[in-house]
Amino acid sequence: VGVDSLTRAQLGIRNIRLIMAYDGSRYHGWQRQSNAATIQEVVERKIQVMIGEPVKLIASGRTDAGVHALNQVCNFTMRSDISLEKIKKGLNSLLPEDIFIRAADYVPLEFHARYSVKSKVYEYRVLNQEDRDIFLRNYLWHVRSPLDSRVMAKCLSLLVGRKDFSSFRSSGSGNMDPVRLLMRAEVHGPEDRLLRFVIEADGFLRHMVRNIVGSVVEAGLGRISFVGFEEILESRDRRAAGAKAPAQGLFLIGVKY
Amino acid sequence: VGVDSLTRAQLGIRNIRLIMAYDGSRYHGWQRQSNAATIQEVVERKIQVMIGEPVKLIASGRTDAGVHALNQVCNFTMRSDISLEKIKKGLNSLLPEDIFIRAADYVPLEFHARYSVKSKVYEYRVLNQEDRDIFLRNYLWHVRSPLDSRVMAKCLSLLVGRKDFSSFRSSGSGNMDPVRLLMRAEVHGPEDRLLRFVIEADGFLRHMVRNIVGSVVEAGLGRISFVGFEEILESRDRRAAGAKAPAQGLFLIGVKY
């Protein structure tokens, strides 16, 4: 805060952190792209309308098309002296009904929503029953056949630690280091037939959560054994793993700094 | 069942009862109309595709545009001898993702989904907090200012019994008798800031639940007193009551026969 006040005083620049929730159903993911509605683009445009300056919004990470967020963290810098309350209220009155700003705060200029991340927490929701749930259709993956939670929990526990997640990385992630520190990999429930997979890591490869859940569910269905799952992880080969779970079950639920 | 078997044997006609759930967000209500998607029309068309006969689907009652159902009850007659399991599974595979058939059963030919109704139960959901809930936006009414549940419960209790509900009937209901037997009028919660109004009656006038909830919420906000609410009911004048609550908070949750 000391540094922040100083730099603000010297440069007249403020660094604003936003915590936001969004329903990803209607969007082509977080990141700005030509010819497709993205969350970044919509929010940046509304900030600009409100403060009269162009801004670049930095998020903790991209989310893919159809993926939701309960607490996405972003930041942007501005010269405007608009109050935090006006940012929150003003943006919420301008934003469409599927994006909501939970909080707006001043943060030190050093704060960078992506580079400063310590870990991110994702939740993946699976409805495990015969019948569809029409009201939750955009917010879970519907798996009809019974899932064995015990086997799935065992598979998940294999993932905890500093590991090479090449087997659960979709192509298109470039040559990024495939080693990540995974702090948490749990399955909760079923509660009202709903299973919640919670995965926390210091970083995620492309489609990593959905690829993990896809394979874990295969194990839960008995199509992959525990040993088979272990072999998938150790193979470091994406082709060894199961199919990717669909986007609409995935929620970014928190980011730690 | 005896009569049913007899008539089925004699005439080759079966009477099928369907219990269905639907998300009303995308539809112009239940009832078939030209140039607008309705739930009746969509389901009738899919039944026809499946059994190869035109059918007329009778519901316990219409629901308006944007209103949802957890357990709407309907019936239709057919000559086809398709099994009940095939009706349920076949329809669910043909229907869009916002309509779901929970059950299909044979019922006596005398059964008529509208005329045979003893009572219907509606639930109206209100989210009472400052912040919007983006995931539930199509499934509740968002009321920001604090609501007094005790006052609302008191107002609701006035409605129970055989009463003239003219004050809570929207125009367009024709000259129907405005007297209805209301068996239940309760408010539950708040639970996670969600209030659920449950109203059961032997029949409902046009927009009756939404008009009741609109006025009860005015009382909960302190804009109408308990005595004022009593006067509204006794005035038998729609113009005396508060504004109609929006459609998307309303669910038909059950029908009793």
Side-chain angles (χ1 to χ4, degrees), chain A residues 21-23 68-70 88-89 92 95-100 130-132 134-135 137-139 251, chain B residues 21-23 68-70 88-89 92 95-100 130-132 134-135 137-139 251:
Chain A
Y22 49 81
D23 177 339
H68 315 292
L70 296 185
K88 186 187 163 186
K89 288 208 171 170
N92 280 330
L95 284 168
E97 58 180 8
D98 48 11
I99 304 179
F100 183 72
E130 174 67 24
D131 288 355
R132 291 189 267 130
I134 55 168
F135 298 104
R137 65 190 186 277
N138 292 326
Y139 310 113
F251 292 74
Chain B
Y22 50 81
D23 177 340
H68 316 291
L70 296 184
K88 186 187 163 186
K89 288 209 169 166
N92 279 330
L95 284 169
E97 58 179 9
D98 49 10
I99 304 178
F100 183 72
E130 174 68 24
D131 288 355
R132 290 189 267 130
I134 56 169
F135 298 103
R137 65 190 185 276
N138 293 326
Y139 310 113
F251 291 75

Side-chain angles (χ1 to χ4, degrees), chain B residues 98-237:
Chain B
D98 49 10
I99 304 178
F100 183 72
I101 307 296
R102 290 184 184 278
D105 290 291
Y106 293 124
V107 283
L109 280 177
E110 293 74 16
F111 178 85
H112 185 285
R114 187 161 82 252
Y115 300 148
S116 310
V117 169
K118 286 229 166 60
S119 72
K120 290 194 286 186
V121 186
Y122 280 97
E123 183 173 297
Y124 194 97
R125 299 183 186 172
V126 170
L127 182 68
N128 190 212
Q129 64 180 24
E130 174 68 24
D131 288 355
R132 290 189 267 130
D133 185 317
I134 56 169
F135 298 103
L136 297 176
R137 65 190 185 276
N138 293 326
Y139 310 113
L140 47 73
W141 179 22
H142 179 205
V143 176
R144 285 191 157 79
S145 304
L147 290 167
D148 183 334
S149 296
R150 214 176 40 83
V151 169
M152 295 194 293
K154 239 177 107 183
C155 292
L156 287 166
S157 70
L158 280 180
L159 305 174
V160 176
R162 191 172 297 280
K163 310 254 164 155
D164 182 325
F165 288 100
S166 296
S167 306
F168 300 110
R169 154 163 93 170
S170 290
S171 59
S173 7
N175 290 320
M176 254 202 298
D177 179 9
V179 175
R180 290 289 180 277
L181 174 61
L182 205 138
M183 294 89 156
R184 198 153 46 124
E186 300 159 352
V187 54
H188 300 273
E191 203 180 299
D192 291 337
R193 304 300 192 95
L194 192 73
L195 289 159
R196 298 183 301 107
F197 296 86
V198 178
I199 298 184
E200 177 174 359
D202 63 353
F204 289 87
L205 304 168
R206 189 166 153 83
H207 298 160
M208 185 167 137
V209 179
R210 291 163 61 193
N211 286 329
I212 288 173
V213 171
S215 288
V216 170
V217 162
E218 295 274 306
L221 292 168
R223 292 183 195 151
I224 299 177
S225 67
F226 173 70
V227 173
F229 188 87
E230 196 165 13
E231 283 167 4
I232 288 170
L233 175 63
E234 284 168 3
S235 73
R236 298 176 195 180
D237 179 356

